[in-house]
Amino acid sequence: MLKRISTQQLTLGMFIEAVEGAVSDQRFSRRHRFLLRHEELMRQLKTSGAENIIINTAKGNDAEGSAQSAGAALTRSDDCPETIAAITHAVRSAADAIAGTFAAAEAGGSVSLKGMAAAAGRISDAVQTNPAIFIGVTRLKSKDETTFVHSVSVSGLMIHFGNYLGLDRGTVDLLGISGLLHDIGKVEIPSAILNKAERLSANEREIINLHPVFGREILSRNANMPEMVLDICFNHHERMDGGGYPSGRAGDEISLYTRIAAICDVYDAVTSVRPYKTPWTANDALTWMLRREGHFDLPLLKKFALCISASLPRG
């Protein structure tokens, strides 16, 4: 099982899968996947400036009080290492593609549908290979990649749910692209607001609530952008009772595809492992979402709960 721990939780006998953060010793930025055997190497890791360490408890020792709660393991010990590696690579590759797309948009460029379709295709392949491993891998988000891996995760969840609902291939493909681009408007939000750890002020909340508007404007630079992608980008924070933003749409004014996006977006946000944030289990997240009266399409949310439950590892 993969887990994220702090460097101070390191002990001998752990199997290191990855070192996160801007480390002072470049050996650790290049070195991956090794068994921690020596006290001196452990000391160097703890003083390297690394933010977090990803360990594999199937190959080495576990940690007490890791960043994940019991039962929130990312993968099972009997999952195939090659499959985990392939899906992890697909996730990181798609996240890199999103990062490049966001950077181009911030510089005033338009979004390449071809590039996003290719990234969504990689995500679709990963989800269909093993949805449980995909969901597990995308729970890990460092502070520097939260937006990008979140976009990959939402895309994969939308693809997986779309397939579960029996939607046609073309629609599912567009759901995947929409998931990748739903938060692109955040490039126009000051980083001081996006990355603020404390509670946002009313004025800051008003600013961040504009990201769907900015997103649609950015996507509209490409005259061939599909209407579904524009719709999801602009409306994924709307609520069934009209209490969402930016337009306060309600009920049938919100498309099926946007309802799917809203569910997947919130589910990923509350179940993800992030620095200084304890993730919720799938059960806790779905229970909380089902109690949010007026927020989601309830019949659709119940189907999503069944979809996720069928995807989680057993035992």
Side-chain angles (χ1 to χ4, degrees):
M1 297 183 291
L2 302 182
K3 288 185 176 181
R4 170 183 276 123
I5 64 172
S6 71
T7 55
Q8 300 311 307
Q9 291 176 285
L10 279 172
T11 59
L12 295 180
M14 289 181 172
F15 190 90
I16 311 300
E17 288 282 355
V19 178
E20 297 183 333
V23 297
S24 57
D25 189 330
Q26 292 305 304
R27 290 179 303 162
F28 297 125
S29 65
R30 297 190 301 268
R31 185 176 184 178
H32 296 286
R33 311 191 76 248
F34 61 94
L35 185 65
L36 186 58
R37 300 176 184 270
H38 305 292
E39 289 277 359
E40 178 59 20
L41 184 58
M42 182 172 68
R43 185 193 66 77
Q44 291 172 0
L45 263 173
K46 287 185 176 182
T47 59
S48 67
E51 294 176 3
N52 297 289
I53 308 292
I54 306 302
I55 63 171
N56 189 334
T57 61
K59 297 183 178 182
N61 293 340
D62 202 344
E64 293 296 329
S66 61
Q68 295 163 247
S69 59
L74 303 182
T75 59
R76 299 180 305 177
S77 59
D78 58 346
D79 284 328
C80 174
E82 290 76 15
T83 302
I84 295 173
I87 291 177
T88 300
H89 177 74
V91 168
R92 300 301 167 184
S93 175
D96 288 344
I98 286 296
T101 297
F102 277 38
E106 189 172 13
S110 62
V111 172
S112 167
L113 273 175
K114 183 178 180 180
M116 290 298 92
R122 291 192 291 271
I123 295 168
S124 181
D125 290 344
V127 170
Q128 292 183 57
T129 297
N130 191 313
I133 293 178
F134 175 86
I135 291 171
V137 167
T138 54
R139 299 311 86 193
L140 292 168
K141 298 176 176 68
S142 70
K143 71 177 183 180
D144 295 325
E145 63 181 11
T146 295
T147 297
F148 309 130
V149 179
H150 171 67
S151 297
V152 172
S153 181
V154 171
S155 174
L157 288 170
M158 290 174 68
I159 289 169
H160 186 46
F161 191 30
N163 285 328
Y164 180 86
L165 294 172
L167 302 179
D168 65 84
R169 176 62 184 272
T171 297
V172 172
D173 288 347
L174 280 177
L175 285 175
I177 293 172
S178 300
L180 290 175
L181 296 171
H182 76 286
D183 268 345
I184 196 167
K186 287 184 177 179
V187 302
E188 299 291 344
I189 305 298
S191 58
I193 296 177
L194 279 180
N195 300 324
K196 186 176 179 180
E198 300 82 15
R199 189 180 185 87
L200 296 176
S201 68
N203 183 59
E204 290 169 333
R205 173 54 60 187
E206 288 181 5
I207 292 172
I208 206 167
N209 284 1
L210 288 173
H211 77 270
V213 178
F214 296 144
R216 185 174 65 174
E217 292 173 354
I218 290 169
L219 294 179
S220 296
R221 295 172 191 163
N222 184 332
N224 296 316
M225 189 61 60
E227 181 58 36
M228 183 197 296
V229 182
L230 295 170
D231 173 32
I232 288 174
C233 178
F234 188 68
N235 294 307
H236 67 278
H237 283 293
E238 298 291 359
R239 295 174 40 144
M240 296 301 292
D241 62 4
Y245 64 87
S247 301
R249 296 187 180 188
D252 292 340
E253 296 176 313
I254 306 171
S255 70
L256 168 64
Y257 311 122
T258 294
R259 298 179 196 194
I260 290 172
I263 290 169
C264 295
D265 184 38
V266 172
Y267 178 81
D268 179 71
V270 299
T271 59
S272 293
V273 180
R274 297 179 183 175
Y276 316 112
K277 171 188 172 295
T278 302
W280 292 4
T281 65
N283 183 65
D284 287 345
L286 292 168
T287 299
W288 176 80
M289 291 171 71
L290 286 163
R291 291 173 177 169
R292 299 278 292 176
E293 186 175 349
H295 195 136
F296 305 102
D297 178 329
L298 190 57
L300 191 65
L301 178 57
K302 290 179 178 178
K303 292 179 182 179
F304 178 77
L306 292 173
C307 173
I308 291 297
S309 297
S311 304
L312 295 176
R314 303 296 179 186

